[in-house]
Amino acid sequence: MSALWLVLIALGLLFLRQYVVVVLAVVVGYVYMVWGDGRLENIVLDGWDALNQDVLLPIPLYMLAGAIMAEGAIAERLIRVMRALAGPIPGGLAVATCLSCGLFAAIVGSSTVTLLAVGAIMYPALLQAGYSKSFSIGLICAGATLGIIIPPSIPLILYGVMTATSISDLFLAGVGPGLLLMGLFTAYAVTTNWRRRTGTWQLRELLDSLRGGIWAMFMPVLILGGIYSGQFTATESAAVAVMYALVVELFVYRKLDLRGLLRVSTETTRLLGGLFPVLMMALALNKFLTFEQVPARIVESLSAWLSSPTEFLLMTNVLLLVVGCIMDIGSAILILAPILQPVAEAQGMHPVHFGIMMTVNLEIGYLTPPLGLNIIVAMTAFRENFWFICRALLPFIGLMLVGLAVVAAWPDLSLFLLTP
Amino acid sequence: MKALLAAMRRAEVLLTTTAFVVLIAVIFGDVVMRRVTGSGIVWARELGVFANIVLTIIGIGLASSDGTHLRPRVFDRLVPRDWDPAMTRIQEALTAIAFGTLAWIAYGVVQETIALDDRSIVLRWAVWPIQLCLPLAFAAGFVRHGIFALDPALRPGDRGEGDVP
């Protein structure tokens, strides 16, 4: 009966348009009052303990590094490189869009910023080159989601924090699935636009564009290379990324001044101020659930009920696809990862592999109605109606589902870079 | 009320920017020192964590100020549009009450920390001055959302886009 009340209270608060942090605070308070020792101070004490750990430090640092890099003319520079590289192949402009989205999203880490920045340049260019409206919008919206899985990725850090999984390992494991999805989008772009080519390869243009874009393109290499070679931890590589972004934008590209830096820092803090209180409450709830051995009991009851790991994979993926339609990726990971990960591990899944599969799955939620964030942003950016964009996204959602199935069924795709 | 909101925002921007600078400086300094001298700064992580707490907790105010707290909109369409003004007041009033309650609880926790003379492990600093950002941030949330409930015109609009980058 108490559990039913808890669900009703949470639904009631959502109906009354409460923020996730308020809903979680009330849920945690209720849980402490009904099943705990009744001391509400524990909400703040457990929240404090949750924040008082250095595993969270990469989050603000990577977010700031991405925001600094996004401030300058980086999108334009990357697109120029990709157009010079891919333009002459069949469907070249579409391939360049896809690669630009993947690389830009990997650097700035934000799906909507990628959609707006790359879309502003590539959408008119694609239409001008004769690509259909529907294909162009679908490609840009889907390509923009790649940053969620290509490291450095904030959702992967959140998963690592909530499940005590190595963030460095998650970053390395994101490379394979990220490349797979990018490869699927690229293959689709080539096959559906086989007859469209723009110009021939120009060595001079390629070298010129590389000179302009190489500094930005080096950032993911620096982060991943540093982690893979064992030179940096995730936190250290995040600090190095911030300093690198500052040097590049202040002294190489010279697109950023101190006023701009203050704006970027405030903008990043605004995002952190929305994310961290949710993280704090989710970790407090997680601590209580772990203390009460709730995940262990869920594992026990589900293990008896599930007949095979395949059944678990199917059920989890359907659940996550539904959740992705109605909830943002951060909240979904914070709430569901600590509950589902122990079950996945009991079913023989590697925790890193499960984290990657969960993130790829929730990435699809950016493109699905009714609340897909990229649909909503694209409505404003491309001035098209909701259902037109939904239809445009259908083939790309199909490709992502294929990618998800491969990621789920083939653990080595995620785990091949990890040292045994 | 507008002036009060602006002053609160200025104070929050100043505090969080300072915290960001400290966070970057100590963590990057630690990396550099480890490369140069072979041993890092022992207190860097602890100071970095404190800076991160101040940054992200005081940042709650900036998220409120710009309307970017995460919020699922799944039930929004169940209510007729005519009800939106009333729903907004209720939303803000409830959020203010929640923040006010959290501020009160956090204040009690800080008092307990002072009484116990809790100190950090490496720097041996008293923890309560850092912990004080919790009741302060929640109290600021209470004041800010309370003002939004009284005068929804001062509200920034609901941009809680959920784009965890």
Side-chain angles (χ1 to χ4, degrees):
Chain A
M1 194 62 191
S2 306
L4 182 66
W5 271 112
L6 180 64
V7 173
L8 288 176
I9 289 169
L11 288 175
L13 288 170
L14 287 173
F15 179 78
L16 291 169
R17 303 186 179 180
Q18 287 307 293
Y19 302 106
V20 177
V21 60
V22 173
V23 178
L24 271 178
V26 173
V27 166
V28 176
Y30 183 90
V31 161
Y32 282 164
M33 291 299 286
V34 175
W35 292 292
D37 56 9
R39 288 188 73 222
L40 282 177
E41 300 94 290
N42 286 339
I43 303 175
V44 173
L45 281 171
D46 287 350
W48 171 262
D49 286 346
L51 293 180
N52 196 5
Q53 47 179 336
D54 61 4
V55 72
L56 301 177
L57 295 181
I59 298 176
L61 294 172
Y62 279 129
M63 279 171 70
L64 183 65
I68 291 170
M69 292 300 270
E71 185 69 6
I74 175 187
E76 213 173 294
R77 289 167 196 272
L78 289 177
I79 287 168
R80 194 175 160 205
V81 177
M82 294 309 155
R83 283 179 84 156
L85 268 175
I89 64 171
L93 205 56
V95 174
T97 305
C98 181
L99 296 178
S100 302
C101 279
L103 200 54
F104 186 80
I107 294 166
V108 305
S110 164
S111 178
T112 46
V113 173
T114 304
L115 196 159
L116 292 169
V118 178
I121 301 168
M122 291 310 268
Y123 182 59
L126 285 164
L127 294 186
Q128 208 174 10
Y131 290 84
S132 73
K133 234 183 217 185
S134 165
F135 172 81
S136 307
I137 289 178
L139 180 68
I140 294 167
C141 288
T145 67
L146 288 169
I148 302 299
I149 191 72
I150 297 176
S153 148
I154 303 298
L156 287 180
I157 299 179
L158 293 179
Y159 175 86
V161 170
M162 294 307 293
T163 61
T165 307
S166 160
I167 293 164
S168 299
D169 283 355
L170 286 163
F171 278 6
L172 294 174
V175 174
L179 291 177
L180 170 76
L181 287 175
M182 203 191 279
L184 285 171
F185 293 159
T186 305
Y188 179 70
V190 171
T191 49
T192 51
N193 299 283
W194 187 254
R195 284 158 195 266
R196 290 184 215 282
R197 294 163 199 244
T198 28
T200 54
W201 274 290
Q202 304 282 341
L203 187 65
R204 192 181 175 80
E205 167 61 11
L206 187 60
L207 290 177
D208 276 356
S209 61
L210 271 175
R211 244 196 306 275
I214 196 80
W215 291 96
M217 289 165 69
F218 186 66
M219 190 147 125
V221 179
L222 178 75
I223 293 167
L224 272 179
I227 291 174
Y228 188 61
S229 63
Q231 294 294 312
F232 304 134
T233 61
T235 305
E236 289 167 350
S237 86
V240 171
V242 172
M243 290 312 284
Y244 179 79
L246 277 174
V247 169
V248 168
E249 287 296 338
L250 288 174
F251 303 114
V252 182
Y253 291 162
R254 294 180 187 179
K255 283 276 179 187
L256 195 67
D257 54 13
L258 283 180
R259 194 181 290 268
L261 193 57
L262 179 64
R263 193 178 57 247
V264 167
S265 147
T266 308
E267 176 78 6
T268 308
T269 309
R270 173 177 84 73
L271 291 170
L272 290 166
L275 175 65
F276 265 72
V278 177
L279 180 67
M280 178 181 162
M281 291 301 163
L283 281 166
L285 181 62
N286 189 30
K287 194 172 174 182
F288 178 84
L289 293 178
T290 309
F291 181 76
E292 295 291 324
Q293 297 187 319
V294 174
R297 274 186 265 156
I298 292 174
V299 169
E300 210 173 290
S301 55
L302 277 182
S303 298
W305 190 59
L306 290 167
S307 59
S308 71
T310 314
E311 196 180 332
F312 168 74
L313 277 180
L314 280 172
M315 275 181 48
T316 309
N317 277 303
V318 171
L319 169 75
L320 291 174
L321 284 170
V322 173
V323 167
C325 290
I326 54 171
M327 201 184 252
D328 70 274
I329 189 167
S331 308
I333 288 179
L334 292 176
I335 294 165
L336 291 177
I339 296 170
L340 292 175
Q341 189 267 336
V343 187
E345 214 168 343
Q347 292 294 319
M349 264 186 104
H350 195 290
V352 172
H353 176 218
F354 181 72
I356 298 295
M357 187 195 79
M358 187 173 189
T359 308
V360 170
N361 188 311
L362 292 170
E363 185 183 342
I364 300 172
Y366 272 78
L367 307 178
T368 47
L371 298 171
L373 188 62
N374 283 11
I375 304 176
I376 292 158
V377 175
M379 281 166 66
T380 316
F382 307 127
R383 295 171 195 281
E384 288 295 341
N385 74 58
F386 186 81
W387 292 111
F388 177 84
I389 297 170
C390 290
R391 276 196 302 276
L393 285 168
L394 280 177
F396 294 94
I397 292 174
L399 289 172
M400 291 178 86
L401 287 172
V402 171
L404 173 64
V406 175
V407 169
W410 185 19
D412 283 346
L413 176 69
S414 307
L415 305 177
F416 76 100
L417 279 175
L418 271 61
T419 37
Chain B
M1 285 201 288
K2 209 171 180 180
L4 174 63
L5 289 175
M8 282 166 66
R9 190 184 162 88
R10 271 197 301 276
E12 284 159 353
V13 168
L14 181 70
L15 264 172
T16 53
T17 307
T18 309
F20 232 143
V21 171
V22 171
L23 170 61
I24 297 163
V26 291
I27 301 298
F28 188 70
D30 184 35
V31 176
V32 172
M33 287 297 281
R34 191 166 306 145
R35 300 280 147 214
V36 175
T37 66
S39 66
I41 307 167
V42 275
W43 42 265
R45 291 290 171 121
E46 190 167 85
L47 188 55
V49 169
F50 285 164
N52 186 42
I53 291 172
V54 174
L55 166 71
T56 52
I57 293 302
I58 300 295
I60 294 173
L62 292 179
S64 291
S65 173
D66 291 354
T68 53
H69 280 295
L70 302 171
R71 184 173 78 77
R73 290 172 173 70
V74 66
F75 296 132
D76 283 13
R77 287 171 202 168
L78 297 179
V79 177
R81 280 190 169 242
D82 298 352
W83 293 15
D84 272 356
M87 290 300 285
T88 301
R89 280 185 192 268
I90 294 170
Q91 174 193 1
E92 294 296 347
L94 281 177
T95 307
I97 292 168
F99 274 126
T101 310
L102 283 171
W104 175 68
I105 297 169
Y107 176 68
V109 169
V110 173
Q111 280 190 318
E112 208 173 294
T113 307
I114 294 171
L116 292 170
D117 193 26
D118 265 1
R119 291 186 172 267
S120 66
I121 295 165
V122 185
L123 287 163
R124 303 304 302 157
W125 285 358
V127 170
W128 72 265
I130 309 291
Q131 216 173 42
L132 199 59
C133 71
L134 286 167
L136 283 177
F138 293 141
F142 168 71
V143 172
R144 191 173 259 125
H145 288 280
I147 291 175
F148 293 161
L150 292 173
D151 186 356
L154 294 174
R155 229 175 140 247
D158 205 356
R159 291 164 58 197
E161 64 260 40
D163 181 18
V164 170

